[in-house]
Amino acid sequence: MASRFGDPLFIKSIEKGFAVIELFESVENELSLSEISKLTGYGISGTQRLLYTLEKLGYIEKNQQTKKYTPGIKTLSLSFAYNRVGRLKKASFEIIRDMSSSVEESVFLLAFNNTNLINIMQSPSRRPFSKTIAPGTPSDLIYSSAGRSVLSHLPAMNTVALVFSSHKNTYTKKTKTDPKLILKEIETAYAKGFSIIDGEIDLGMISIGSAILDKDGLPIAALEINACREEWKWMKQREKFGAKLEKAAKQIAENLS
């Protein structure tokens, strides 16, 4: 987390506390005092005081057997509070419900936090066995249609840096791993107002995403729909749903302004 040097209103001790909590976004197991100290770059003594304070407040829990730490129940309470009163969700709820009814598929709302997308909500699907993704689940910027649409609205150098520095996975025979090909897909997303991913994650899956922009034209979130190829066989159909999704994204942006 970058400190805001020279900002008289910025409280560094709070920044350090959140830096500790945010470590658990990218790990799978408990962390020890020494591991947290190493990962944050804070001294052992300072880290110990931070952990003690966060534990007393309920944002960190300590396993008394292993002496290691995990997120506390208060972090889940914060997620619930965001889900209940978050401005983005409130501005999107009715629009997503109508969109979902129109396309008869789940519509996902994902927030952009500079490096990845976080799932905020998923509308119910009329189709059986539809995959459910929990709120808070991160989504890949490079291999999601929502992510490519978001990348299409970032400053060009930022997009290039993110694409070239990202880890490339080969999910299927159609997955694009060449950064130049990925950038071409992102350029297409900008021209159309939405991104379509065909079989790059799952050969039988089509994904369409469109970015939600702030008043300066920068992405703050995105909408995404996923469907089986059998349901969306024709390109005209995909383009039609993409245009609808872009319209819904613009309506949300207007609600937020």
Side-chain angles (χ1 to χ4, degrees):
M1 187 184 298
S3 297
R4 301 184 184 184
F5 295 109
D7 188 341
L9 297 177
F10 193 79
I11 304 174
K12 284 187 61 62
S13 58
I14 294 178
E15 176 193 34
K16 289 182 176 180
F18 277 104
V20 171
I21 295 171
E22 289 171 3
L23 285 178
F24 293 96
E25 292 180 350
S26 56
V27 299
E28 300 292 333
N29 301 301
E30 301 174 322
L31 293 175
S32 67
L33 169 61
S34 60
E35 288 171 331
I36 293 171
S37 175
K38 183 178 180 180
L39 288 168
T40 58
Y42 306 148
I44 288 289
S45 177
T47 303
Q48 189 173 36
R49 291 197 300 273
L50 284 170
L51 288 168
Y52 177 84
T53 303
L54 291 169
E55 183 185 1
K56 289 296 181 183
L57 293 172
Y59 293 103
I60 289 289
E61 291 180 2
K62 183 177 182 180
N63 185 325
Q64 296 303 322
Q65 293 182 321
T66 65
K67 306 302 180 185
K68 292 186 176 183
Y69 298 88
T70 56
I73 196 69
K74 276 283 191 72
T75 58
L76 191 59
S77 296
L78 283 179
S79 299
F80 175 76
Y82 180 87
N83 194 48
R84 180 169 52 85
V85 300
R87 185 166 169 257
L88 180 57
K89 183 177 177 181
K90 281 190 169 185
S92 308
F93 187 82
E94 297 294 333
I95 295 168
I96 288 174
R97 185 193 63 183
D98 293 343
M99 183 72 195
S100 181
S101 177
S102 173
V103 300
E104 297 187 340
E105 298 288 353
S106 284
V107 178
F108 293 87
L109 173 65
L110 304 107
F112 177 53
N113 71 349
N114 298 321
T115 56
N116 65 353
L117 291 166
I118 303 294
N119 184 44
I120 294 178
M121 67 170 284
Q122 172 185 0
S123 66
S125 173
R126 295 182 182 181
R127 303 193 184 280
F129 313 117
S130 178
K131 184 179 179 181
T132 300
I133 299 178
T137 303
S139 181
D140 196 304
L141 271 178
I142 305 301
Y143 292 115
S144 68
S145 59
R148 287 184 183 173
S149 184
V150 162
L151 287 167
S152 77
H153 291 281
L154 290 178
M157 292 305 296
N158 293 19
T159 298
V160 170
L162 284 167
V163 170
F164 274 86
S165 65
S166 68
H167 180 69
K168 311 300 187 300
N169 297 307
T170 303
Y171 296 102
T172 73
K173 63 183 180 181
K174 297 181 74 173
T175 303
K176 294 177 175 62
T177 56
D178 184 339
K180 291 181 181 178
L181 293 178
I182 295 171
L183 287 169
K184 187 175 180 181
E185 290 293 320
I186 292 169
E187 288 174 3
T188 300
Y190 181 80
K192 290 184 174 181
F194 55 88
S195 170
I196 299 176
I197 290 184
D198 181 357
E200 289 192 53
I201 298 292
D202 182 329
L203 285 173
M205 188 68 66
I206 303 294
S207 179
I208 305 175
S210 186
I212 299 168
L213 309 178
D214 66 12
K215 59 183 177 60
D216 297 316
L218 293 173
I220 54 173
L223 297 177
E224 184 174 281
I225 316 170
N226 302 299
C228 294
R229 171 182 286 279
E230 288 300 311
E231 300 294 335
W232 291 353
K233 290 181 180 179
W234 313 113
M235 181 55 72
K236 274 191 174 182
Q237 184 184 25
R238 300 172 196 173
E239 297 274 346
K240 177 182 175 182
F241 286 147
K244 282 188 174 183
L245 200 65
E246 181 190 19
K247 182 179 179 181
K250 287 180 177 178
Q251 287 173 335
I252 293 169
E254 288 173 5
N255 285 351
L256 288 167
S257 62

